[in-house]
Each structure stands twice: as C-alpha cells, then as structure tokens.
C-alpha cells in the first residue's frame, strides 16, 4: 500500500477518535478532512479495493433512505456494504467512511465481497465520478434546495451533465467498461440526463396514475421543456414536477420506465407496491408511508437490478426495512410516541406533511427551522411550503430552532394563530412539546437538517437509541 495512503488512514482514524472522545460528534467529516489533507486521492485508493464495485445515489431528496435500502438489499444478497450511512455525503464524508472501514495498513477487510454504496451530495457528484469507477449512478430527483449554496436547479443539472461527460471520458480510457445510469423517468430534469448518459440507461417510474393528485403543485421547479423551452403538460401529477409529463411542442416526453410501479396502495404506516421488471413482478409491503418513500424504494430496486442483485434480496430487504435516522424514525419517550420527520425544502416538507395529514385524528407538532451552513442560510423557502395542510388537524404547535421567529410568522399566515409558542433551544422546545402531549398520544417533530441531528440526539438519549452515526 502507498505509504501516503497508510499515513492518511492513521491520521483519519486519530481524528475520528479524538472527535468522539471530546464529544464533538462521530468524526464522520473530520476523519475524511484529515485523511484528504495527507492523501487527496484517499477515496480513489480505498474505494478501488471494493471487489463488487461501487454505486452512487444522488438527488435532492431521498438519498439517505435509498442508500440504506440498497445497503439492506446488498446484505440480503450476501455482500458486505461500504456505506456512508451517517449521511455525511461530501467527499470528506465518503473518505471518513472508507478510513473507518480500512485497516491500519490501508486495506479494506474482506475486499472481494465489498460493495461501495455511496450517498453523494448533488454538487459532489463530479468529484466522486473523478475518483471512483462507478458501476451504477442513481439519480432520484431535482428540486430547489439550499439556493445560497447550490444556486438554482439549472446549476445542479449542469453539474450532473458535466459528471456524465467525465464518466464518458473515463469510460473511453477504460476500454468501454462504463457506468450504468439509473434515472427517474417521472422527473423531467432527471430524465433529461439520459441524453448525456455514457452507457446503458435504466429508467424507473410510477405508472399507477391513481397515486397522483389533482393538478400541478405551485412548488414545481420545472415547467418548461428542457429540449425546446415550451410548456410541459401532465397526464398525472404525483408531487412537485414529478409525474407523467410531455412537451406541448416538440414531442419530448416521459420515457417508458424499465422498472415501474404498476400498483401503489397507501396505508397508514406502510405502502404496498407492485414493481414490474423485465424478469417478473416484485410485490413489496414497505413499512413506511408516503409516495415519496415509494419512489425511494423504486430507486433502490432499480439500482439493485442494475447491479444484478437477486429479486428475492430486494423483496426481503424492502419488506423488512426500518426508517433511516430522522426519516419517519420513532421513539418512545415517557409513554409518548415521538415521530421525527426531516423536512428541509418545499417539496420534501410538503410530502412529509401530506403523509402526516393522511392519518386520522387531532395532532401535535413541533417545527424546527435552523439556518446553519448545512441547512442553507436562505430560509425564504418556508413561504413556498404548504404548512396549511396540517393546520386543520393541529391541537398544539410550537415553533423552534435558530429561526423560530421567522417560522412562527409563516405559521401565523398558515392559519395557526398569532400566539404560537416560540423556543429557540432544542431541549426546552422538546420538553415543552412533550408536556403538551398526553401519554399514549403522538408528537410529530419536523426539523430541518441540523436541527434534526440535534433533536435526534436528544431523543436518542432519552429513548435509549444509538447515536445517528451508529445507525445500521
């Protein structure tokens, strides 16, 4: 092994250990930063050891859940995943995971049986493609998110096209051993990437139009054809700009999916799916609610099929799936059922609130709004979010987080009233919300990203769960 890589592994492990001993977190980023400082190609050197290759998942929403599903599928198939399950999805996060897995000699144990499953930040994909010879890249969706960091959605779309062009260039230099691309046919921006894909494309989508809503949503981010600029029309709209789309001028239209949901049945805490593939149907009962989770399962199934993993492993993994940290995760606290549902952009949060609203009965909510760097400093997106969806069912609501006052103002205009309690401190906010929730009832905790990490740790301590970076 390259002495520089070995030194980087030692440095990364030392940094992670120090972070944990000092109570500064799991070292899921600092370990990668330290390792990259000594060996900027640490990700390339360690990921190349994975004998079963590598798959990356990127997109605005659903990355953490989709990669966790792929993790479970790979394990059911007898593989040993290398997975950045902490959700740390920049290069430093991928490097930290690989350093954690490597031996002190810089070797990945049981390398022949390892499959690298990489959750990748939207803007980081070109760097991953430059470092890792991906077998498969899965794209989930593209919505506005952290505009001050990413820019408009067009900027992200262009970076993805650049990543595919780079993959094509690397494919040519690797004698045709190229990357397969798995695309959401129902997202016009993602489907458009098929024109730039370096090799085989697998499309996935929901054919069951009964899962759609009435009309287009105002939170749609792509209303014009990316081929000619004319207006798009929809035969069915599922959420945001996801649906059965077609251009009204040039004939550009949703591709026919290769892996498709032909039947979807929404239940209170589960979703029953029939997934049609070229090699037969998969019937899955996913123990998560919401159409957005059906798309996550479909993306994972399509990615697994692209890797050649067996159908039986897909069904077993999805039937037995449990939520990723902070994504429909549940805790039992002093006799209360506490549900944590991450909501960090208009489309994602709208879907979360619709899945909550589909459950009968009066409800209690604590919303958290932070504006940390990982959240995006621009919080104007809350005015594009449909908090009104939950107002008719609310018995109690509390605005929390570093921008609690801004959130309370938005909730006032959503009809929750002008006397909404405000609490910036996460611990005190949770305590107040729990006190307002009778034993036996459910408290819905709906945080943005950095708030989710904080409240999830507070709840894990009280509920006896593990730290988020230890989740499996």
């Amino acid at each position: 092994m390259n002495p520089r890589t070995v030194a980087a592994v030692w440095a990364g492990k030392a940094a992670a250990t120090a972070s944990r001993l000092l109570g500064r977190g799991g070292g899921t980023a600092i370990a990668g930063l330290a390792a990259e400082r000594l060996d900027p190609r640490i990700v390339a050197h360690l990921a190349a050891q994975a004998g079963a290759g590598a798959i990356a998942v990127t997109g605005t929403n659903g990355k953490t859940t989709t990669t966790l599903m792929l993790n479970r599928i790979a394990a059911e198939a007898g593989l040993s995943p290398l997975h950045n399950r902490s959700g740390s999805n920049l290069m430093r996060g991928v490097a930290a995971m690989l350093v954690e897995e490597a031996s002190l000699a810089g070797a990945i144990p049981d390398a022949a049986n390892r499959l690298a499953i990489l959750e990748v930040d939207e803007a980081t994909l070109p760097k991953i493609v430059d470092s890792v010879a991906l077998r498969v890249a899965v794209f989930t969706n593209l919505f506005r998110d952290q505009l001050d960091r990413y820019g408009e959605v067009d900027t992200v779309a262009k970076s993805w096209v650049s990543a595919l062009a780079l993959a094509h260039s690397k494919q040519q230099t690797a004698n045709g051993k190229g990357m397969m691309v798995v695309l959401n046919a129902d997202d016009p921006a993602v489907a458009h990437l098929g024109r730039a894909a370096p090799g085989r494309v697998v499309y996935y989508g929901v054919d069951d139009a009964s899962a759609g809503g009435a009309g287009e949503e105002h939170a749609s981010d792509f209303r014009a054809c990316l081929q000619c600029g004319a207006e798009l029309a929809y035969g069915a709209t599922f959420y945001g700009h996801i649906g059965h789309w077609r251009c009204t001028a040039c004939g550009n239209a949703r591709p026919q999916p290769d892996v498709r949901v032909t039947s979807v049945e929404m239940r209170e805490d589960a979703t029953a799916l029939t997934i049609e593939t070229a090699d037969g149907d998969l019937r899955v009962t996913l123990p998560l609610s919401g159409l957005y989770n059906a798309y996550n399962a479909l993306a994972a199934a399509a990615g697994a099929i692209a890797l050649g993993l067996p159908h039986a492993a897909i069904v077993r993994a999805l039937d037995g799936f449990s939520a990723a940290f902070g994504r429909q995760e549940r805790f039992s606290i002093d006799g209360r059922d506490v549900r944590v549902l991450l909501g960090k952009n208009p489309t994602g949060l709208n879907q979360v609130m619709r899945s909550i609203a589909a459950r009968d009965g009066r409800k209690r909510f604590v919303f958290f709004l932070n504006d940390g760097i990982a959240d995006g400093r621009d919080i104007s997106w809350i005015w594009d979010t449909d908090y009104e969806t939950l107002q008719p069912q609310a018995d109690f609501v509390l605005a929390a987080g570093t921008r609690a006052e801004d959130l309370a103002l938005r909730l006032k205009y959503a009809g929750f009233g002008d006397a909404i309690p405000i609490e910036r401190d996460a611990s005190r906010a949770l305590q107040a919300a729990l006190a307002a929730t009778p034993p036996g009832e459910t408290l819905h905790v709906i945080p943005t990203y950095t708030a989710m990490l904080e409240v999830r740790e507070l709840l894990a301590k009280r509920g006896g769960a593990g730290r988020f970076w230890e989740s499996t």
Side-chain angles (χ1 to χ4, degrees):
M1 180 57 65
N2 182 339
R4 192 171 185 174
T5 301
V6 173
V9 168
W10 278 71
K13 287 181 178 291
T17 299
S19 177
R20 291 167 188 168
L21 289 175
L22 295 171
R24 302 294 296 272
T28 58
I30 188 66
L33 281 172
E36 285 186 299
R37 184 67 62 88
L38 291 181
D39 181 1
R41 298 289 293 171
I42 185 78
V43 169
H45 294 150
L46 296 180
Q49 298 179 41
I55 180 171
V57 177
T58 194
T60 305
N61 294 326
K63 297 184 291 294
T64 298
T65 298
T66 300
T67 52
L68 185 58
M69 289 172 171
L70 278 165
N71 178 314
R72 304 277 173 79
I73 294 169
E76 288 286 353
L79 294 171
S80 180
L82 292 164
H83 175 208
N84 51 332
R85 62 182 184 274
S86 70
S88 185
N89 58 23
L90 303 178
M91 285 298 285
R92 66 192 66 162
V94 174
M97 176 274 291
L98 291 168
V99 164
E100 178 79 14
E101 293 277 359
S103 70
L104 290 174
I108 298 294
D110 189 26
N113 198 43
R114 306 306 292 271
L115 172 68
I117 300 172
L118 307 179
E119 176 185 337
V120 179
D121 173 84
E122 299 93 294
T124 303
L125 184 66
K127 294 179 181 177
I128 286 291
V129 168
D130 188 42
S131 297
V132 182
L134 297 173
R135 287 177 59 194
V136 177
V138 179
F139 294 79
T140 59
N141 47 61
L142 179 54
F143 297 107
R144 80 191 86 156
D145 188 21
Q146 301 183 52
L147 294 179
D148 54 323
R149 178 168 165 241
Y150 293 126
E152 290 290 345
V153 287
D154 293 343
T155 304
V156 177
K158 287 176 183 175
S159 78
W160 286 354
V161 171
S162 297
L164 294 176
L166 178 59
H168 183 60
S169 172
K170 293 169 75 76
Q171 173 180 327
Q172 289 179 323
T173 59
N175 300 318
K177 292 182 179 179
M179 178 178 79
M180 192 181 302
V181 177
V182 177
L183 301 176
N184 184 347
D186 297 343
D187 185 326
V190 171
H192 189 69
L193 295 173
R195 298 172 185 268
R200 184 187 165 197
V201 177
V202 174
Y203 290 101
Y204 65 90
V206 174
D207 274 6
D208 185 354
S210 69
E216 297 177 32
E217 292 188 2
H218 66 83
S220 171
D221 290 316
F222 288 92
R223 294 181 180 276
C225 175
L226 291 170
Q227 192 66 21
C228 73
E231 186 177 1
L232 293 178
Y234 282 80
T237 305
F238 297 125
Y239 60 86
H241 52 260
I242 303 288
H244 296 175
W245 58 272
R246 64 175 178 80
C247 176
T248 54
C250 75
N252 186 23
R254 169 190 187 246
Q256 178 64 30
D258 304 287
V259 181
R260 59 201 188 105
V261 168
T262 56
S263 172
V264 55
E265 179 189 349
M266 302 294 181
R267 301 172 185 171
E268 192 166 86
D269 287 316
T271 307
L273 304 170
T274 301
I275 303 174
E276 184 178 297
T277 79
D279 297 316
D281 291 354
L282 310 178
R283 289 183 172 79
V284 172
T285 301
L286 184 70
L288 297 176
S289 62
L291 184 59
Y292 64 104
N293 276 316
Y295 270 100
N296 293 336
L298 185 56
I305 289 169
L307 288 168
L309 301 181
H311 283 193
I314 297 171
V315 173
R316 285 197 301 271
L318 295 181
D319 277 347
F321 189 72
S322 55
F325 68 96
R327 283 86 172 171
Q328 294 194 17
E329 191 176 18
R330 298 175 68 172
F331 299 87
S332 179
I333 307 290
D334 299 334
R336 283 85 169 169
D337 177 28
V338 180
R339 302 185 180 209
V340 182
L341 303 101
L342 173 68
K344 62 186 182 68
N345 53 51
T347 301
L349 183 47
N350 284 344
Q351 282 299 294
V352 163
M353 292 193 291
R354 285 175 191 177
S355 71
I356 296 171
R359 301 167 61 87
D360 293 332
R362 308 292 297 173
K363 301 181 178 73
R364 295 153 189 86
F365 307 104
V366 53
F367 293 95
F368 285 82
L369 177 64
N370 280 4
D371 64 350
I373 292 174
D375 300 294
R377 307 308 300 268
D378 178 0
I379 60 163
S380 62
W381 61 271
I382 63 174
W383 293 93
D384 288 335
T385 303
D386 301 331
Y387 294 96
E388 291 83 355
T389 303
L390 295 179
Q391 188 278 330
Q393 298 177 318
D395 265 354
F396 172 83
V397 63
L398 186 150
T402 58
R403 300 297 293 269
E405 293 85 355
D406 299 83
L407 181 56
L409 179 63
R410 174 65 186 94
L411 293 173
K412 172 185 175 180
Y413 282 96
F416 288 86
D418 55 6
I420 298 167
I422 295 171
E423 177 54 69
R424 285 187 166 204
D425 181 82
S427 180
R428 288 197 292 268
L430 280 177
Q431 191 56 43
L434 285 167
T437 304
E441 297 295 326
T442 298
L443 171 65
H444 295 88
V445 180
I446 306 173
T448 51
Y449 183 71
T450 61
M452 181 273 288
L453 297 179
E454 186 176 6
V455 299
R456 199 266 175 202
E457 287 303 289
L458 291 167
L459 291 169
K461 284 182 182 177
R462 296 187 63 170
R467 315 292 292 271
F468 75 88
W469 60 84
E470 299 168 341
S471 300
T472 59

